[in-house]
Amino acid sequence: MNVLRIFRDFVIPAVVISLIGLSFFGTTPSFGAERKSDTPLSGSTELGQFTLVDHTGRQVSQEDFLGNYLLIYFGFTHCPDVCPTGLHILTNAVELLGAKGINVIPIFVTVDPERDSPQIMKTYVNYFHPRLVGLTGNTEQIDNIAKLFGARYSKVIVSTKGNMGDSNYVLQHSESTYLVNKDGRLLATITDGVTPQALAQQILPFIGK
Ligand code: NI
């Protein structure tokens, strides 16, 4: 099946590439230099400006999210398997953290703005969690936010004869989860949150719990 082959041939290598990218990032001198006392494992990294459109059609920027912890995942709504799994884990981790009194906003950023309109994002995010925020925009805006986080994605054309309906491409993309602090700084890039429990557990030290 095309989809499974794509997963094996593209998504898995993409994850390996993102892990290599992460370890490179981790050796950047400024990364350690900006360490804060309340973020013992990683320090935090300044993010640049972004402007996007949320799933209600409202224009948003980084300033709209200040004052909240964010957990951000990049993907696309046509993703057959990886994104649904990732978002299931992310939203359940948010519930586990909420039960400990830690409020985190879950965010899904599409890397497929061509197909993922605010309306499509709204239906999709509501399926996963009532508080999941869907963000889309134009290609330039999506390129920009992906670069800010070091998220990678690229389009792969597939046969229209497969089981993808009217879709003739998929996106290979990073599967990391990005933790942003209340000041809008990147606290952690988590690549191995394989269960909601594991993801929630990994987040706790970064927010001083
Ligand atoms: Ni996906």
Side-chain angles (χ1 to χ4, degrees):
M1 223 166 70
N2 275 341
V3 170
L4 292 177
R5 245 190 45 230
I6 288 155
F7 179 72
R8 191 187 62 219
D9 296 347
F10 296 103
V11 178
I12 292 172
V15 172
V16 172
I17 290 164
S18 79
L19 288 173
I20 292 166
L22 179 70
S23 59
F24 172 75
F25 183 61
T27 60
T28 306
S30 65
F31 193 71
E34 290 177 347
R35 178 170 294 190
K36 280 181 167 182
S37 59
D38 62 342
T39 55
L41 296 185
S42 155
S44 64
T45 306
E46 184 82 54
L47 291 166
Q49 306 274 308
F50 63 82
T51 307
L52 294 163
V53 179
D54 76 8
H55 64 274
T56 69
R58 190 172 67 110
Q59 184 169 301
V60 296
S61 72
Q62 69 290 335
E63 287 172 10
D64 292 296
F65 298 103
L66 292 177
N68 300 283
Y69 284 109
L70 314 176
L71 269 181
I72 301 178
Y73 188 89
F74 289 82
F76 63 113
T77 66
H78 282 69
C79 188
D81 182 20
V82 181
C83 287
T85 304
L87 289 172
H88 173 79
I89 292 168
L90 185 148
T91 52
N92 280 280
V94 164
E95 283 296 307
L96 291 172
L97 292 165
K100 290 176 181 288
I102 301 160
N103 188 38
V104 178
I105 299 179
I107 296 179
F108 177 59
V109 181
T110 182
V111 293
D112 186 13
E114 196 178 316
R115 291 184 296 203
D116 288 341
S117 64
Q119 189 56 48
I120 286 174
M121 292 292 277
K122 184 177 185 179
T123 305
Y124 194 74
V125 296
N126 285 345
Y127 174 76
F128 288 95
H129 196 276
R131 288 196 298 118
L132 179 60
V133 175
L135 297 179
T136 185
N138 60 35
T139 307
E140 195 176 276
Q141 290 171 317
I142 298 300
D143 280 346
N144 173 54
I145 191 168
K147 280 199 189 97
L148 294 182
F149 283 88
R152 291 167 173 74
Y153 68 96
S154 58
K155 189 180 278 192
V156 181
I157 305 297
V158 297
S159 168
T160 52
K161 290 176 182 172
N163 61 348
M164 301 293 286
D166 58 355
S167 314
N168 66 345
Y169 66 90
V170 296
L171 283 300
Q172 28 171 312
H173 60 88
S174 304
E175 291 172 46
S176 302
T177 303
Y178 303 90
L179 175 64
V180 174
N181 74 7
K182 294 178 178 184
D183 300 325
R185 295 171 67 89
L186 179 62
L187 273 184
T189 301
I190 300 163
T191 54
D192 50 355
V194 292
T195 65
Q197 291 77 11
L199 181 57
Q201 203 59 41
Q202 289 201 66
I203 287 162
L204 293 176
F206 289 103
I207 57 183
K209 302 284 178 179

